[in-house]
Amino acid sequence: MRVVAISGGTGSAKLVRGLAAAGPFSAVANVGDDDRFHGLYVCPDVDTLTYALAGVLDAQRGWGVRGDSFAALEQLKRLGAPGTWFNIGDADMAVHLLRTAMLAEGRSLTEVTAVIASRLGVTGCDILPATDSRVATRVRTREKGELSLQEFWVREGGRPTPEGVRYEGAEAARPTEQVLERLRAAERLVIAPANPITSIMPTLSLDGFRDALRASPARKVAVSPMVGRAAYSGPAARLMEAAGLEPTSEGVARLYGDVIDAIVIDESDRAQAEAIEGLGVSCTVAPTLMRSAEDERRLARVALEA
Ligand code: FO1
């Protein structure tokens, strides 16, 4: 079965690892969190997927390289560099250095991502940035004005009150040809359990992406990141509320409703199944918490069969 996942970073990595155990597939990665630090082009979601599939992701943090040191960051702090609130480890920084150099030579983010993934030993999965154009997720907050996603989440610790989100550049940014080709050929499309507003919507908002999804012959299944009125981690609930959505699996089904056929929701949210089916979205109830590699593989199988 030709499988395509649409994913973010930290929240998606576990399911993406489970999908990898089931067979070859393509992962379309969010680029709305990308940012520049110390002159380096940083792609957190692309890197999180790459590290997860290469088996080097720091499981505790959910980002960066396991066991990484932070010597360069410490020196940057001593030198008074800006942006040292964003914790780039030394091994992680090597990836950003190579990426930035290759982009400066005129290679596309898609090409550079493939080179880095292959050199880190990723096999069986094409990690595809959703677009090679620049899209920036911008969070409007009550206390601090408009912030980049990393400023909102990392520098400000997610504390400012979000009032809305926009995807700067998305209307003019096209999905890459590689992404469009995978969507055309897909038999199963899985939207990973990621923050709907900051990890999935930047991709769905690209020029032509929703049309490409609708035209794809794949059965399209989302795995909800919500349990009750909260996400497993991160600011998804507050950002959904800021977007005028209920921070529940039903809210996620409403947000993706025009492009998905089915959704997998947590067993504790069984009571929402009827309302979700009422939206015309088929609903599968399953345990969605992934604590082990076996959980990751089990939930991936549920998503591939829903
Ligand atoms: N998240 C944090 O909470 N604090 C950090 O200092 C941090 C550094 C970081 C460095 C590289 C990277 O690829 C990701 C990093 N993240 C960090 C995660 C990132 O901010 C977000 O969780 C993702 O952008 C959301 O998917």
Side-chain angles (χ1 to χ4, degrees):
M1 181 156 66
R2 280 189 291 274
V3 177
V4 176
I6 298 182
S7 84
T10 303
S12 313
K14 293 178 176 181
L15 187 79
V16 162
R17 267 194 313 239
L19 289 172
F25 72 112
S26 302
V28 177
N30 171 42
V31 294
D33 306 10
D34 294 6
D35 218 326
R36 276 191 179 273
F37 294 94
H38 324 298
L40 303 177
Y41 195 73
V42 180
C43 302
D45 285 359
V46 165
D47 291 343
T48 298
L49 291 188
T50 304
Y51 297 155
L53 292 167
V56 299
L57 181 69
D58 186 301
Q60 199 105 50
R61 291 192 301 252
W63 49 267
V65 175
R66 187 169 54 235
D68 211 350
S69 52
F70 289 82
L73 185 75
E74 288 310 318
Q75 185 70 345
L76 284 162
K77 284 183 185 168
R78 267 179 231 117
L79 292 166
T84 52
W85 46 265
F86 194 71
N87 294 291
I88 298 180
D90 296 326
D92 192 27
M93 194 171 290
V95 166
H96 312 319
L97 280 163
L98 181 64
R99 173 190 296 122
T100 308
M102 291 174 80
L103 290 172
E105 285 165 7
R107 301 176 74 170
S108 70
L109 185 61
T110 299
E111 269 183 88
V112 174
T113 299
V115 168
I116 292 169
S118 138
R119 289 184 186 162
L120 288 179
V122 174
T123 54
C125 177
D126 297 322
I127 301 170
L128 302 172
T131 178
D132 282 330
S133 305
R134 185 72 188 103
V135 174
T137 298
R138 307 282 302 167
V139 184
R140 199 175 68 250
T141 70
R142 188 180 303 159
E143 299 84 356
K144 299 272 175 182
E146 196 175 73
L147 302 173
S148 73
L149 196 271
Q150 303 305 341
E151 287 169 339
F152 171 72
W153 181 238
V154 180
R155 193 188 72 196
E156 303 296 331
R159 282 177 294 270
T161 316
E163 293 186 322
V165 172
R166 69 185 180 98
Y167 311 109
E168 192 174 79
E171 329 71 52
R174 291 282 298 167
T176 66
E177 266 318 305
Q178 290 85 341
V179 167
L180 292 172
E181 188 272 317
R182 296 308 192 286
L183 293 180
R184 276 194 293 270
E187 293 164 293
R188 171 77 46 157
L189 185 124
V190 178
I191 302 185
N195 185 325
I197 305 296
T198 58
S199 293
I200 302 299
M201 288 308 287
T203 296
L204 296 194
S205 304
L206 296 174
D207 177 30
F209 199 94
R210 275 179 183 260
D211 292 341
L213 271 188
R214 277 189 284 263
S216 167
R219 181 163 170 85
K220 296 148 203 127
V221 181
V223 178
S224 175
M226 310 303 289
V227 180
R229 297 181 67 81
Y232 284 116
S233 65
R238 288 163 68 222
L239 290 168
M240 284 183 74
E241 283 178 313
L245 292 158
E246 283 289 300
T248 60
S249 288
E250 187 185 337
V252 175
R254 282 184 193 281
L255 184 63
Y256 301 157
D258 63 327
V259 287
I260 58 171
D261 303 303
I263 188 166
V264 179
I265 68 167
D266 192 68
E267 54 190 352
S268 63
D269 287 332
R270 191 177 297 274
Q272 293 176 37
E274 202 178 314
I276 290 173
E277 297 264 351
L279 299 170
V281 175
S282 151
C283 187
T284 297
V285 177
T288 60
L289 186 60
M290 291 173 278
R291 276 195 258 251
S292 65
E294 179 43 39
D295 288 347
E296 294 171 1
R297 290 194 286 265
R298 180 192 39 73
L299 188 57
R301 279 196 301 273
V302 171
L304 293 174
E305 288 162 13

